[in-house]
Every structure is written in structure tokens, then in C-alpha cells.
């Protein structure tokens, strides 16, 4: 009798609640600092700006940003927002394409067993280094190197060669090019490491077989490496796109006169930042406009993410899944028929 | 045993949660602020430091310069603000003035010098304004704070940020000797006195005396003034300088400097009227500034450097990448005393290219002013008595204000004191080769009119300078586009003003 009560007691002890207790802190913090701000951004985007922050305005902020309006403020906000979107896309595309090419090339070289590159580890570290420096320091470095300032290195060299100094930040082509370069330079090491891990994940016997069959390295690259690397490229594309659409630090910091953001470098994230702390208006920030822009950025990112993901799904896998579904359907139908037939 | 385990688990969980929330608490030092206590060696100031003002009748509203009106002694706080804090914390964006104030205040009021502590937000202009807001939002201990003329109204009009000066025993009748505009600017929209200024920021044109002699054959500030007595003459002289220097030396340091002189000297109406900025009014306020700026910028008479960037001040030296790029600067009083922008522009005495003491000052093409600082009291102060003592010593008491003139070389907000200093003729500014800048600027200071200032001027000034800079540099094509760009940016930044 004693044993049975003890047994039943043991059965009733559940350790699950301790588990919940241990993971609770994370969820509490997450809800407080992640979920609530997200929801709050949504709510704020339906309210007014400045002194009218408590006034519900519905979709007015969205309308202003997307279509403008009949007063100067709406038109100006609309122009700036659209321009900032275009800038963001230009800056992202301009840094992603060279970045993926460069890192793919380096990854292929570094993983090729036929090439014996000395000091691989050293190069990997050196190429990854720019990513470790904070964006603030990188911007400061480049400000001293090439910027509006007549005392920046490039302008001093130009002056010594007898040329007029160039205001690099003012020129859309130059400044965008520089920002793209900085972004590429900062991130290609990171992408390269990812590509390398992708390539090293490919079964080496495939390369060996290709080698034995006499495939050239170009053929190996095109027929084996690239197709099998696709998931990794898609992953990089999606993470880079999410990061790129939210690009803030370098375009914001690459300005000699703080606060004077150039129209051709203003990204959506910079626009959002400017709106909720705009200039003299620190006393009544424009949360409504900033919130609406954030939500739109979120929606665009989500749509693009899903689109890219669907585009790049493994087509064989999709077809197989479909076939399996068809088969199951067919089987069920036949069963049903058989059942019905049986009844008949 | 089970209970112990449970308790331990719960405690561990709580500890984790607690540490996760630690970031929310208010730190007493934010990373962007630097705190320091006074460590400067005791300096002896001239004159009797005992309180010499006596209770008297309210002085006449206006007094002729030189005739000192009697001012009442410091009153007692009315009890609405806190008392008994152990440090008088002063929020500022530069401690250059403050370090000179400690002795002056300590000698006048008998307050212990170590009581006074400053917090420097480490930023200029609009950025400093933002940092202030953050400081207030984070409930930091702030008793007094300095406000720039561009944005003091925004603070004074907000009861959350500023308390009436009467709460610390300061009344309007104490300012019978002050420059009128400083009192007018110190009031909020209901006419309550909330800020007091220790300086009058009249501006002048500070130029390289050595270059003037070399290029123009001019040796005295009076002759120089005759050459640049109005804007037309100014730009004509600029052409001479530019040609004589082999197209190196611009007449003036930056577009921003020209705009300060022009806007506060030639503008006749307020930017914002009835809560709106109309295009017509904006055009009226701008006058011919944009075309004047563009013409002279293109001609090379205005330097391409931007104020407050690395390129700006080194132009004042005679060596380095920016050597001799400018003939002179538009500087107000606070930029030509000790530890000032002018001192930085000249470089350290004895170093290569230093132009220390090679400058002179004259009034320039227009009588103008730039900025000025107001002291405001935070409603959350815990040192009402000391706050009152500080303001009284710096802005009311004649003896201590004179001591401050001698220490810092600033143009103080007290007409009789300044008249006395000028009459004494003892002031000799080493940065200006011994010239007395007060004698030059005394008249300008008396003429400053700030009745057209609005609390939006900071934003307006910075957006305008950005737009005009862009136009001059060629990124904006035409003058209409420039005005349009300026108004567009303004409409985005100001929510409570309609920009048409």
C-alpha cells in the first residue's frame, strides 16, 4: 500500500513548471522590449504628429507619405519619403552585387583543393576585420580619407597635384559610390565565410568524381558548386536585403556637417530617425510619420522576403511535394470509391 | 529539500529578469556627458567682494549707459522649489565660460566653489538642444542650465523645463542696467521672466591686420571700417583682397557667418507670423541674401568652409592646408574672449603659422549680433538658494560682473559696467593685438533688437544655411529651387507651424 501511494505521488510530480519558470525571463523581456514596441509602432502610425500626438488620424500618415497632399508639408514629406526609398534600393543593390561576386570568387579560391594558397587563415581574418570595426569608426575613417573637407586625404592630394578640391559628399555619384564601397568592404568578409561554409558542406566526392571525369574548373563551378550553393546564396540574399533596406549607420554618419543629411544619401531608416527627432522639434517629435514609414518598410521587407524565398525554393522539392499530395488524394479517392463500391 | 530547490530556481529566474531590466533604470551619468568639479586654483579678483548693493526703490526702466541705476538685493526663494542639494549642477554645452564664473560667483555670494559642478552635453547648436531634452527626460540632477538664443524660447515656454526666476528670488527690477533685449528674450509667452543673460552678443568683423596692411595698405581699424561700411563696399573690398592675394584669400570665413551678420542686422520681420510662414514673408526676410551669397561665393569672396567643421577655424592661420583662406571672421563678443573660437583660429602662439595677436576688429558692414546665452532654472532643482545666488552674481551684481569681464573678456549684460570698462581703457585683448573690442562693439550692443525672434529660429537658420550652401555649391540649380527646398525642409521639420 505504501509503495503504491509513493508511486502515485511520483507520477503526479511534474517538472514542467520549472522549465517554464526558467524560460519565463526571456519571454517577459521579449514581450516587453520587442513585441510591445512593435505593436506600439503600429498604433503610433495612426496618430498625429507633434502637438497633435494624441489625435487619431487613421491612415492620414500613410496617405501623406505615399501620395502627398495639397499642402507643402505633405508634398515635401511625400517627395522625401519616395526619394529615400529609391536611395535605399540603389545603395543596397550597389553594395550587394559586388559583394556577392567578390565573396563567391574568394570562397571558391579558398576552398579549391587544387590551389594551394598560402596563409589562407591570415587572409580570412584580414578580410573579416572590417566587419569588426564599428560603423562609427569606419565612417570617421572615411571622413578623414575622402569627404567634403578640404583637409581630407584625397582632397589634400588633389590640391598638391594642382586640382580643385572635390566636395565628395555633395556629388550623388561619388557619395553613393563611397557608401556602396564602404558597405561592400565591411560585409564581403562575412559573406565570404558563409559561402565557404556552404561550399565545404558540399559532398567532396562530387568534386572528385568531376575531377576524374575531366571536368574543367569552370565546369565544376557552374555545374556543381553554384547549383549546390543556391540555398546559401538565397539565405545571404534575404539577410542582406533585410539589412540593406534598414541601412542606417553609414549613410547617416557619412556627413561632415552633422544633421545636414544629403538628399541622395537619405535612406528610409534615416528618414524615420529624422522624423522622430527632427531638428528644433525635439520637444514635439513626429511619431506618426515615423511610425507609418516604419510599418511600410516592414511590409515591403516582408513581401520581398517572401517573394525571394518562393522564387528560390528547390523546384524538384516543390514538384515532389505536389506529386505526393496528388498521390495521397488519389489514394483517398480510390478508398472512398472502394468503400462506396463495397456498400453498393 | 524540494522547497529549497524551488526557491533557488525562483531566485535564479528573478535574478535573471532583474538584470535584464537593469538597463531601464536611470544611470546618473550618461556616456555622452562629462562631469567635473571645480579644481581651478583660487584666483584673486579685484575689488571688494562684499555685497554692496542695497535695498532700494525700483529703478527707472531705462538708464543711459554710464549711469548706474540702483538694483535691489537678491530676494529669498519663494519655497516652491527644492532646497538642500549638495551640488549646484549646471548644464551647458561648453564649460569655457563656466570655469571663469566659479570664482566670480564664489567671491560675490560666499558660496563654496566646490558646490558648483557642470555637466557638459558635448555638442553644439541644435544637437545640444536635443541632448538637453534627453537629460531632462532621464531625470538627471540639473539645477541651472544655459540656453542658446536660437532655442531658449522653446525651454522658457515650457513649464516642465523652466521655473520663473521669481521662485529663486530674482525679479525683473534687478535688470534696470541690462540691455533691454536680454530681458525681453528672457520672458516666456506670458511675460514671466524665466531666463537671465550674462552677456550681450554684439558682433563685429575680425580681420587679419597683417594681411590688411599687405593687400590694402590699411593699418588702423578705423580705416578698415571705412572700407567695409556697407555690404557693397564690403564686397568691393573683397574683390581687392582676392586679387591681391593671388585668388587665395576670401573676404569671409563661411556662408554661415555672412548669414548671421545679414539676418540679424538686415532682417526686419519675424519669420513666423500667426503660426504660418508664407513664401512672401520668407522672401522678405531673405532680402537679397541668396543672390548676394551666390554671386560672392562663386567669385571666391566667401570661403567654401562650413562653420563648426574641421575646415573652418584653421583658415585663420598662415600655414597648413587652410592657410590664409580667409581675411576675416564674423564673430560676436563670445567668440573673441579668452578660450574662444578666435583663439583657436589663431593657433597656439609660437607654433608654425600661428597668427596670434595679428587680428583687429571693426564693426563691419552692419550692426548685428549672434546668439547669447540665458541661464534658466530647472523646476526640479534642489538648490533654489544657490541657483538664485549664481544668477544674481552673474547677471545683476555690478562688481562681480566687472570681475567676470576682466577674467573672461566677455561683453557682460550690464551697461554701466561696460561703459566703465570702456572709459577705463584698461581692456586690451591680446588676441586683437591689444585692441579693446568693447569700445568697438558697445554701440552695436545697445542697438540689438530681438523683438522679431521666434522659438523656431534655430531650425530656420540651420535649414536655410543648408539650402543656401547647397545652392552655392551647385547641387541646387536656381534661386527659386533654393527657396523651395528651404521651405520644404522647414515644413517637414515644423509640425506646429504651417509653411505655405
Amino acid at each position: 500500500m505504501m509503495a503504491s501511494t509513493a508511486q502515485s505521488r511520483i507520477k503526479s510530480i511534474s517538472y514542467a513548471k520549472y522549465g517554464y519558470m526558467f524560460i519565463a525571463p526571456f519571454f517577459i523581456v521579449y514581450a516587453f522590449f520587442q513585441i510591445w514596441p512593435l505593436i506600439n509602432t503600429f498604433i503610433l502610425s495612426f496618430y498625429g504628429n507633434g502637438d497633435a500626438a494624441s489625435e487619431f488620424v487613421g491612415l492620414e500618415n500613410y496617405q501623406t507619405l505615399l501620395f502627398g497632399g495639397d499642402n507643402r508639408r505633405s508634398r515635401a514629406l511625400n517627395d522625401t519619403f519616395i526619394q529615400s526609398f529609391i536611395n535605399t534600393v540603389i545603395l543596397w543593390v550597389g553594395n550587394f552585387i559586388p559583394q556577392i561576386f567578390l565573396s563567391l570568387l574568394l570562397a571558391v579560391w579558398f576552398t579549391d583543393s587544387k590551389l594551394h594558397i598560402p596563409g589562407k587563415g591570415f587572409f580570412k581574418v584580414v578580410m573579416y576585420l572590417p566587419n569588426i570595426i564599428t560603423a562609427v569608426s569606419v565612417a570617421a575613417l572615411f571622413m578623414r580619407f575622402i569627404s567634403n573637407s578640404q583637409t581630407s586625404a584625397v582632397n589634400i592630394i588633389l590640391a598638391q597635384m594642382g586640382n580643385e578640391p572635390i566636395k565628395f559628399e555633395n556629388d550623388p555619384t561619388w557619395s553613393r559610390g563611397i557608401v556602396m564601397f564602404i558597405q561592400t568592404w565591411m560585409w564581403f568578409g562575412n559573406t565570404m565565410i558563409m559561402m565557404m561554409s556552404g561550399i565545404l558542406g558540399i559532398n567532396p566526392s562530387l568534386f572528385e568524381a568531376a575531377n576524374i571525369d575531366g571536368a574543367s574548373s569552370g565546369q565544376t563551378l557552374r555545374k556543381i558548386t553554384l547549383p549546390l550553393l543556391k540555398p546559401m546564396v538565397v539565405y545571404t540574399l534575404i539577410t542582406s536585403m533585410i539589412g540593406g533596406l534598414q541601412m542606417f549607420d553609414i549613410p547617416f554618419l557619412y556627413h561632415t556637417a552633422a544633421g545636414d543629411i544629403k538628399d541622395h544619401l537619405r535612406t528610409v531608416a534615416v528618414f524615420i530617425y529624422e522624423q522622430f527627432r527632427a531638428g528644433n522639434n525635439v520637444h514635439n517629435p513626429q511619431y506618426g510619420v515615423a511610425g507609418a514609414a516604419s510599418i511600410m518598410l516592414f511590409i515591403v521587407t516582408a513581401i520581398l522576403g517572401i517573394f525571394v524565398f518562393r522564387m528560390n525554393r528547390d523546384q524538384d522539392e516543390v514538384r515532389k511535394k505536389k506529386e505526393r499530395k496528388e498521390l495521397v488524394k488519389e489514394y483517398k479517392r480510390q478508398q472512398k470509391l472502394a468503400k462506396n463500391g463495397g456498400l453498393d | 529539500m524540494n522547497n529549497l530547490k524551488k526557491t533557488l530556481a525562483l531566485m535564479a529566474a528573478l535574478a535573471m529578469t532583474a538584470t535584464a531590466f537593469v538597463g531601464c533604470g536611470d544611470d546618473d551619468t550618461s556616456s555622452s556627458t562629462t562631469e567635473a568639479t571645480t579644481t581651478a586654483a583660487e584666483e584673486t579678483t579685484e575689488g571688494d567682494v562684499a555685497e554692496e548693493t542695497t535695498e532700494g526703490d525700483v529703478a527707472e526702466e531705462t538708464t543711459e549707459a554710464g549711469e548706474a541705476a540702483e538694483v535691489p538685493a537678491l530676494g529669498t526663494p519663494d519655497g516652491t522649489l527644492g532646497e538642500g542639494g549638495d551640488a549646484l549642477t549646471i548644464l551647458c554645452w561648453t564649460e569655457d565660460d563656466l570655469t571663469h564664473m566659479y570664482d566670480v560667483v564664489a567671491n560675490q555670494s560666499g558660496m563654496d566653489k566646490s558646490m558648483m559642478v557642470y555637466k557638459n552635453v558635448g555638442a553644439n547648436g541644435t544637437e545640444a538642444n536635443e541632448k538637453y531634452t534627453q537629460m531632462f527626460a532621464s531625470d538627471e540632477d540639473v539645477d541651472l542650465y544655459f540656453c542658446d538664443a536660437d532655442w531658449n524660447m522653446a525651454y522658457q515656454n515650457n513649464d516642465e523645463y523652466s521655473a520663473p526666476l521669481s521662485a529663486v528670488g530674482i525679479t525683473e527690477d534687478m535688470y534696470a542696467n541690462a540691455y533691454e533685449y536680454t530681458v525681453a528674450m528672457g520672458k516666456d509667452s506670458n511675460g514671466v521672466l524665466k531666463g537671465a543673460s550674462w552677456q550681450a552678443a554684439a558682433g563685429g568683423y575680425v580681420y587679419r591686420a597683417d594681411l590688411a596692411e599687405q593687400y590694402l595698405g590699411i593699418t588702423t581699424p578705423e580705416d578698415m571700417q571705412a572700407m567695409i561700411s556697407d555690404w557693397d563696399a564690403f564686397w568691393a573690398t573683397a574683390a581687392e583682397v582676392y586679387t591681391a592675394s593671388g585668388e587665395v584669400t576670401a573676404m569671409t570665413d563661411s556662408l554661415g557667418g555672412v548669414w548671421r551678420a545679414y539676418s540679424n542686422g538686415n532682417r526686419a520681420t519675424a519669420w513666423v507670423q500667426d503660426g504660418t510662414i508664407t513664401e512672401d514673408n520668407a522672401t522678405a526676410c531673405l532680402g537679397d541674401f541668396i543672390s548676394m551669397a551666390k554671386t560672392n561665393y562663386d567669385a571666391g569672396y566667401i570661403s567654401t568652409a562650413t562653420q563648426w567643421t574641421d575646415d573652418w577655424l584653421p583658415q585663420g592661420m598662415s600655414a597648413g592646408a587652410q592657410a590664409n583662406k580667409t581675411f576675416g571672421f564674423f564673430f560676436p563678443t563670445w567668440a573673441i574672449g579668452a578660450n574662444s573660437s578666435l583663439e583657436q583660429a589663431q593657433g597656439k602662439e609660437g607654433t608654425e603659422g600661428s597668427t596670434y595677436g595679428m587680428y583687429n576688429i571693426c564693426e563691419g558692414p552692419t550692426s548685428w549680433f549672434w546668439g547669447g546665452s540665458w541661464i534658466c532654472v530647472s523646476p526640479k532643482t534642489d538648490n533654489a538658494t544657490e541657483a538664485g545666488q549664481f544668477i544674481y552674481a552673474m547677471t545683476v551684481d555690478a562688481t562681480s560682473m566687472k570681475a567676470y569681464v576682466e577674467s573672461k573678456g566677455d561683453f557682460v549684460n550690464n551697461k554701466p559696467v561696460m561703459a566703465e570698462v570702456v572709459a577705463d581703457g584698461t581692456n586690451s585683448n591680446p588676441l586683437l593685438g591689444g585692441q579693446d573690442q568693447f569700445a568697438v562693439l558697445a554701440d552695436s550692443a545697445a542697438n540689438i533688437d530681438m523683438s522679431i525672434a521666434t522659438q523656431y529660429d534655430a531650425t530656420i537658420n540651420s535649414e536655410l544655411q543648408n539650402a543656401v550652401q547647397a545652392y552655392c555649391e551647385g547641387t541646387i540649380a536656381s534661386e527659386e529651387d533654393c527657396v523651395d527646398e528651404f521651405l520644404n525642409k522647414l515644413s517637414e521639420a515644423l509640425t506646429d507651424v504651417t509653411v505655405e
Side-chain angles (χ1 to χ4, degrees), chain A residues 262-281:
Chain A
K262 302 278 181 253
D263 283 336
H264 47 265
L265 283 183
R266 181 183 288 106
T267 62
V268 179
V270 173
F271 174 80
I272 293 167
Y273 178 72
E274 277 188 302
Q275 290 313 311
F276 77 75
R277 43 71 72 190
N280 199 30
N281 262 18

Side-chain angles (χ1 to χ4, degrees), chain A residues 18 29 33 50-51 72-73 76 80 144 149-151 167 170 260 263 277 280-284 286, chain B residues 6 129-130 161 279 304 310-311 322 325 455 459 466 473 475 484-485 488-489 491-493 495 500:
Chain A
Y18 299 117
V29 172
F33 290 108
D51 286 339
R72 187 183 280 273
R73 181 176 148 77
T80 316
R144 296 312 307 150
S149 171
Q150 291 171 19
T151 48
K167 298 233 169 191
N170 292 358
D260 174 20
D263 283 336
R277 43 71 72 190
N280 199 30
N281 262 18
V282 281
H283 306 289
N284 42 359
Q286 312 188 31
Chain B
K6 276 190 211 167
N129 179 9
E130 264 166 52
Y161 294 139
E279 201 167 334
T304 55
D310 293 344
D311 289 348
Q322 296 293 88
K325 283 261 176 82
Q455 61 169 311
T459 310
N466 289 344
E473 286 168 357
T475 43
D484 208 44
E485 167 77 8
N488 281 347
K489 287 282 176 270
S491 71
E492 278 182 44
T495 47
E500 283 170 355

Side-chain angles (χ1 to χ4, degrees), chain B residues 187-403:
Chain B
K187 289 181 189 169
D188 72 1
S189 47
N190 301 322
V192 181
L193 189 68
K194 280 186 155 181
S197 175
W198 71 87
Q199 58 183 192
Y205 179 67
V206 182
Y207 66 97
R208 285 273 294 277
D210 58 329
L211 292 184
E213 192 170 350
Q214 192 183 336
Y215 297 150
L216 303 169
I218 279 172
T219 49
T220 65
E222 289 75 30
D223 289 347
M224 188 68 208
Q225 176 59 28
M227 295 278 290
I228 57 167
S229 54
D230 59 44
W231 284 111
D232 288 339
F234 186 81
W235 299 121
T237 311
E240 268 182 65
V241 169
Y242 190 66
T243 324
S245 66
E247 310 200 337
V248 169
T249 308
M251 189 67 179
T252 167
D253 57 297
S254 65
L255 262 179
V258 180
W259 168 243
R260 288 287 176 182
Y262 187 91
S263 77
N264 292 339
N266 298 47
R267 185 163 59 96
T269 52
W271 282 105
V272 184
Q273 282 166 349
D274 305 325
T276 47
I277 299 175
T278 60
E279 201 167 334
D280 289 342
N281 186 35
T283 322
C285 286
L286 285 165
D288 60 348
F289 174 71
I290 298 181
S291 59
M292 179 180 98
K294 176 71 173 169
T295 315
N296 294 296
Y297 186 94
D298 286 349
Y301 307 154
I302 300 175
S303 163
T304 55
T306 313
Q307 273 176 347
W308 312 114
T309 63
D310 293 344
D311 289 348
W312 184 41
L313 290 175
Q315 298 179 105
M317 297 174 62
S318 62
Q322 296 293 88
N324 299 334
K325 283 261 176 82
T326 189
F327 187 76
F329 293 87
F330 279 107
F331 271 157
T333 47
W334 49 259
I336 46 188
N339 301 340
S340 62
S341 302
L342 181 60
E343 195 167 334
Q344 285 176 44
Q346 298 182 340
K348 273 216 177 66
E349 199 178 357
T351 55
E352 198 208 340
S354 169
T355 50
Y356 189 83
M358 294 186 194
Y359 280 77
N360 273 155
I361 186 168
C362 58
E363 280 169 50
T366 170
S367 142
W368 63 287
F369 60 93
W370 178 6
S373 308
W374 277 257
I375 313 176
C376 298
V377 180
S378 163
K380 290 176 189 157
T381 179
D382 51 5
N383 292 89
T385 309
E386 288 81 5
Q389 285 173 339
F390 189 96
I391 296 178
Y392 191 83
M394 285 314 303
T395 66
V396 182
D397 187 79
T399 319
S400 56
M401 286 173 91
K402 196 173 175 200

